Amino acid sequence: MKKQTKTYGGLNMERFFLYDDTVDTKTRFVSFVGKNERFDLAIVQTDRFYGKVLVLDLQSNRFAIIGSDDLQEPGYIEHAYNINEEEANELRNFLHEIVG
């Protein structure tokens, strides 16, 4: 555990980092149009998430760490990206190609 001391407004504040790592990633930027919705995504692959990918929706500023198990979970995509069932199915179908 790394300890850092900083002064803020005359107060000494200590911050304890649980981790502070730099990792290599592979990022794919993809934009596609479904039947009712446009998706602008950044898909980040790293060894950090145990085989899952970080999927950022650049339009809504929402993100989720997604694996194939999450795509099978009812309502997960709808909730994570705040979209309706039809839009979620379009996104889910695309993500199946990415995460398997």
Side-chain angles (χ1 to χ4, degrees), residues 28-46:
R28 175 180 175 188
F29 294 93
V30 62
S31 179
F32 71 93
V33 178
K35 183 177 177 183
N36 298 310
E37 182 73 22
R38 173 181 167 165
F39 295 95
D40 293 300
L41 307 173
I43 302 163
V44 181
Q45 294 176 318
T46 176

Side-chain angles (χ1 to χ4, degrees), residues 10 16 19-21 28 31 39-42 44 50 56 59 61 64 74-76 78 87 98 100:
F16 291 94
Y19 56 85
D20 183 4
D21 301 331
R28 175 180 175 188
S31 179
F39 295 95
D40 293 300
L41 307 173
V44 181
Y50 306 101
L56 299 99
Q59 288 187 359
N61 295 319
Y76 181 76
E78 291 86 338
E87 294 165 342
I98 305 300

Side-chain angles (χ1 to χ4, degrees), residues 9-65:
L11 298 174
N12 281 336
M13 303 290 289
E14 290 185 1
R15 178 177 297 133
F16 291 94
F17 291 90
L18 299 177
Y19 56 85
D20 183 4
D21 301 331
T22 301
V23 297
D24 290 328
T25 65
K26 179 180 176 185
T27 305
R28 175 180 175 188
F29 294 93
V30 62
S31 179
F32 71 93
V33 178
K35 183 177 177 183
N36 298 310
E37 182 73 22
R38 173 181 167 165
F39 295 95
D40 293 300
L41 307 173
I43 302 163
V44 181
Q45 294 176 318
T46 176
D47 60 1
R48 188 74 168 186
F49 304 121
Y50 306 101
K52 295 186 177 193
V53 295
L54 176 62
V55 181
L56 299 99
D57 181 336
L58 301 174
Q59 288 187 359
S60 69
N61 295 319
R62 297 178 73 91
F63 66 91
I65 298 169

Side-chain angles (χ1 to χ4, degrees), residues 35-36 39 78 83-91:
K35 183 177 177 183
N36 298 310
F39 295 95
E78 291 86 338
I83 54 179
N84 66 40
E85 184 178 358
E86 186 176 0
E87 294 165 342
N89 285 333
E90 291 175 344
L91 180 56

